Amino acid sequence: MLGWGRRCRRLKERRSPSELEALWKEDDMAGGEKVRAMVMIMRTSGCCWVRSGGCTMCGYREASLRDVSEEDLRKQLAQALSKYKGEPFVKIYTSGSFLDDNEVPPAVRAEIYSAFSGCARLLFESRPEFITEDSAGEIPGNATVALGLESSDPEVLAAAVHKGFTPDDIRRAGLLLKSRGIGVRTYLLLKTPFMTESMAIRDAVSSAMFADAFSDEISVNPLNVQHGTYVERLWKRGEFRPPWIWTLIEVFRQLSGSVHARLMSSPSGGGSQRGVHNCGSCDRAALDAVERFSFTQDPSDLEVSCQCIAKWKAYMESEDLLGSPADLDRSFENELTLRVL
Ligand code: SF4
Ligand SMILES: [Zn+2]
């Protein structure tokens, strides 16, 4: 029998490099209005940083393929265009950096810019090292570049995320884009490894203040545990618990009215053990509140209640007292199991 890793690699080799990884439609904001957005995930050779070990929470290496030619990328574009129904917002994700010439060659990028020149908003992601005077000069005026700042604390970025750049690199890239009239969406990672819930709140709030100087939008992304990552190893050992949804809501409460950028979050895996979650019974209502707030920016939309708020507060106090970010629920469960045994 094949091991899981090898089986994954076999499945991966079978995927066609000329087909999109995924495409779907969803709501988002463009020009201050809620509009339909087309999201396309392109298969590329993947993020250059993966060759240096990648980020501790990133499982994107599974979405990339070794050999993807320019012709393959053109076929993926054609596939997307066949599904495009004039949505005002188009988001292109590559599991890496859209502005990395090795992932998306300049000629293909120019074709993509041209294909979606009529839409109000075009969004793609890039690491800051690919945002230069030259590459910024080619980015069209309808574009928004998403920057993965994660945290404005250089030590967190280096030691807990292993990001391979500094917050100042992101600030430089963001200010350059803004000076060219290009939109910036900045991603923050809520609760990096080794953080307690209260540390995560403080880190996200100060990171958003830092990002506000160069961001039109700040997307707070609660860490979700992806397969094959360092974070997954910590999580399996009970040394990491994804953040509570109350933690995310608290970040928005503290930031509401204090930043100019639009605050938003659309958590991956929300409500599951691997994603941001509460007690289980209030998760849907709390996530709906986060979604409403992301569109309205009205803090009254964050008002949700559940008995587990008291548990969340006690959880934070215990973490602070113990000085440990370990998953306390699971630690106590293990302790009880051991005692029963
Ligand atoms: S999080 Fe972004 S920069 Fe880090 S390895 Fe993944 S794709 Fe690359
Ligand atoms: Zn609850």
Side-chain angles (χ1 to χ4, degrees), residues 244 246 278-283 305-309:
W244 290 68
W246 302 129
N278 284 346
C279 67
S281 60
C282 66
D283 290 31
S305 186
C306 179
Q307 288 176 343
C308 74
I309 290 182

Side-chain angles (χ1 to χ4, degrees), residues 47-50 54-55 57-60 95-96 127 150 163 165:
C47 180
C48 62
W49 183 238
V50 166
C55 301
M57 73 302 181
C58 181
Y60 278 0
S95 309
R127 284 177 62 90
E150 322 300 8
K163 197 76 199 186
F165 55 71

Side-chain angles (χ1 to χ4, degrees), residues 243-259:
W244 290 68
I245 309 173
W246 302 129
T247 296
L248 176 60
I249 287 178
E250 180 60 23
V251 168
F252 284 152
R253 279 214 183 95
Q254 291 190 21
L255 287 171
S256 178
S258 304
V259 288

